[in-house]
Amino acid sequence: MEVLAGDIGGTKTLLLLARVERDCLVPVARQRFESAAYGDLAPMVREFLATHQAEGIRIAAAGFALAGPVERDDGREHARLTNLPWQLDSEGLKRSLGIPRVGLLNDFEGIAHSLDDLAPEHLHPLQSAPAQIQGTRLVVGAGTGLGVCIVAPGRPTRILPSEGGHAGFAPADARQSRLWEYITRNEGRCTREHLLSGRGLGRIARFLVEMEEIRPGDELAAALASEDPAPEITRLGLEGKDPVAQETLALFASVYGGQTGDLALTCLPFGGVYIAGGIAPRLLPVLRSGAFMRAFADKPPMSRLLERMPVQVIGNTDAGLLGAARLAAELAEGY
């Protein structure tokens, strides 16, 4: 049985054709497309299948993860992409592609669906503990924003989406209280996402410069005057070339760990806590330095409970694509 998967972004789209063998996904073909070169998803998929689909093989189901919200209504899914003028509809894609089952999901949900298909080398442990096979799992990911979802035990995979990234930030100490006050004064409100995101790195650095009076070097000062200083903050901090950048990454890791620990207390994910998103793999040395896990578990009287949860960083950039393929495989069961 073959399934089709896609990870659709404003810049690029990845398509995957995979064979399902004994509940394992075996890649058959993978190709990258420039999203803006196509007016819709269907022509891109037809081009991909014309090249890679074997004669006589009919695709049982397709799953597409996309950068944008997915609305579900009476078994029908439709979505408008955030950075593309595409409107996708599961029923329309079924008809135009001739695929009997099509599912759409948000790109973060795609990552959640990928957990069982990630290779061990793509998981970087921050806290080693035995995972409960039937335990709840938590996925938290800082990137452009902060994604949060819960994966309920059992098959097929059941994702409980949330907007936990937009919940209010709870400071853990006096310094974080000053950070909360600084962000609230500038933004009107301080949410988790205000800090745990690419823009959050810039906000934390500016807080350190303006409120803690730590002087940045010339390179960082120039970056802070730009719209997106996060790449320079990351580079300078990891290379140890700027005290503000280094302190920014350390404070970011502490906030990230503390907020992830708070989220873990709400669902008790003894099946595992997975740190996803684009920032964590780049900051892996910082997350492994200890500040993240200290803040994660510093929740007396529940510290011992949190210390029993496995915590890992997802390093596979194709996790969303794998998750879309897993959704397609689950849709195809019994086909």
Side-chain angles (χ1 to χ4, degrees), residues 31-120:
Q31 188 172 344
R32 171 181 170 142
F33 294 84
E34 298 303 314
S35 303
Y38 296 81
D40 197 0
L41 177 62
M44 180 192 295
V45 172
R46 291 193 199 99
E47 181 180 322
F48 175 73
L49 295 179
T51 304
H52 300 291
Q53 187 179 8
E55 186 175 350
I57 298 296
R58 190 180 183 198
I59 295 170
F64 298 105
L66 54 97
V70 175
E71 297 182 16
R72 296 174 172 89
D73 183 22
D74 293 330
R76 184 171 186 157
E77 299 159 339
H78 49 94
R80 181 191 297 271
L81 275 80
T82 303
N83 296 310
L84 274 179
W86 295 2
Q87 295 188 52
L88 303 182
D89 178 271
S90 58
E91 291 298 320
L93 287 168
K94 286 182 191 179
R95 291 192 299 270
S96 62
L97 298 175
I99 297 175
R101 291 174 175 83
V102 173
L104 304 179
L105 71 168
N106 175 266
D107 52 0
F108 199 76
E109 289 182 89
I111 293 172
H113 273 278
S114 78
L115 300 183
D116 292 327
D117 295 293
L118 294 170

Side-chain angles (χ1 to χ4, degrees), residues 7 106-112 114-115 118 122-124 138-149 196-198 201 252 256 260 273-284 287 292 312-320:
D7 187 1
N106 175 266
D107 52 0
F108 199 76
E109 289 182 89
I111 293 172
S114 78
L115 300 183
L118 294 170
H122 293 147
L123 293 170
H124 308 287
L138 171 68
V139 185
V140 181
T144 304
L146 180 67
V148 179
C149 69
L196 300 176
S197 60
L201 284 167
F252 179 89
Y256 204 172
T260 302
V273 177
Y274 294 83
I275 310 303
I279 293 177
R282 291 196 288 272
L283 296 187
L284 192 58
L287 299 183
F292 182 98
Q312 303 174 90
V313 172
I314 297 175
N316 189 341
T317 56
D318 273 356

Side-chain angles (χ1 to χ4, degrees), residues 43-328:
M44 180 192 295
V45 172
R46 291 193 199 99
E47 181 180 322
F48 175 73
L49 295 179
T51 304
H52 300 291
Q53 187 179 8
E55 186 175 350
I57 298 296
R58 190 180 183 198
I59 295 170
F64 298 105
L66 54 97
V70 175
E71 297 182 16
R72 296 174 172 89
D73 183 22
D74 293 330
R76 184 171 186 157
E77 299 159 339
H78 49 94
R80 181 191 297 271
L81 275 80
T82 303
N83 296 310
L84 274 179
W86 295 2
Q87 295 188 52
L88 303 182
D89 178 271
S90 58
E91 291 298 320
L93 287 168
K94 286 182 191 179
R95 291 192 299 270
S96 62
L97 298 175
I99 297 175
R101 291 174 175 83
V102 173
L104 304 179
L105 71 168
N106 175 266
D107 52 0
F108 199 76
E109 289 182 89
I111 293 172
H113 273 278
S114 78
L115 300 183
D116 292 327
D117 295 293
L118 294 170
E121 60 266 27
H122 293 147
L123 293 170
H124 308 287
L126 300 181
Q127 176 167 276
S128 297
Q132 293 182 3
I133 295 175
Q134 291 300 316
T136 296
R137 292 178 285 185
L138 171 68
V139 185
V140 181
T144 304
L146 180 67
V148 179
C149 69
I150 298 167
V151 183
R155 297 294 295 271
T157 305
R158 292 182 297 150
I159 309 297
L160 307 178
S162 89
E163 291 296 341
H166 293 286
F169 166 61
D173 55 30
R175 188 188 213 187
Q176 290 187 17
S177 293
R178 294 193 298 273
L179 176 60
W180 176 90
E181 184 178 1
Y182 172 79
I183 299 299
T184 301
R185 185 167 64 247
N186 286 285
E187 304 289 342
R189 182 171 179 244
C190 183
T191 69
R192 291 167 171 154
E193 186 171 295
H194 276 114
L195 300 171
L196 300 176
S197 60
R199 289 183 179 273
L201 284 167
R203 292 185 179 106
I204 292 172
R206 293 184 180 103
F207 160 76
L208 293 172
V209 171
E210 296 175 22
M211 305 304 295
E212 305 254 310
E213 298 182 349
I214 305 176
R215 185 173 179 175
D218 292 342
E219 288 182 283
L220 183 57
L224 290 175
S226 69
E227 185 175 346
D228 182 16
E232 278 296 278
I233 293 170
T234 301
R235 181 183 70 82
L236 293 168
L238 290 175
E239 293 176 358
K241 292 182 175 180
D242 189 283
V244 173
Q246 290 178 277
E247 191 61 28
T248 296
L249 299 187
L251 183 51
F252 179 89
S254 183
V255 170
Y256 204 172
Q259 297 304 296
T260 302
D262 284 346
L263 289 163
L265 287 174
T266 66
C267 62
L268 300 181
F270 291 110
V273 177
Y274 294 83
I275 310 303
I279 293 177
R282 291 196 288 272
L283 296 187
L284 192 58
V286 178
L287 299 183
R288 281 179 162 168
S289 69
F292 182 98
M293 289 312 309
R294 284 194 297 272
F296 177 87
D298 187 17
K299 311 286 180 186
M302 293 296 162
S303 296
R304 290 185 179 275
L305 196 70
L306 290 162
E307 289 167 357
R308 291 168 43 205
M309 298 174 185
V311 182
Q312 303 174 90
V313 172
I314 297 175
N316 189 341
T317 56
D318 273 356
L321 185 63
L322 285 174
R326 174 54 57 189
L327 171 66

